[in-house]
Amino acid sequence: PLGVKTTFFGRETGTATGLALFAQKTGTPVLPCYAYLQKNGRYCVRFKPAIPFEDLGDKNKNLQHMTQK
């Protein structure tokens, strides 16, 4: 199986690690954002606070931890 085990809305699931892998390779934070369509037909984009990369000293632990965050 691809990805790592994570908890999403209280349920265990598998999640792709691509975003955490990029953060690990570059040491940069992840900037969460999302977009939604408004009633007027325009999109609104929202950005959330950056999630800094945390190095736990083990590649696999890093990927699981950062993917869960």
Side-chain angles (χ1 to χ4, degrees), residues 5-47:
K5 288 183 182 179
T6 56
T7 303
F8 187 68
F9 290 106
R11 302 190 97 170
E12 189 175 279
T13 186
T15 306
T17 59
L19 190 54
L21 186 59
F22 281 123
Q24 181 169 265
K25 285 187 175 191
T26 61
T28 58
V30 172
L31 184 60
C33 65
Y34 61 94
Y36 60 91
L37 183 61
Q38 300 177 96
K39 290 181 181 181
N40 65 6
R42 299 179 76 177
Y43 282 92
C44 183
V45 180
R46 299 284 185 204
F47 293 89

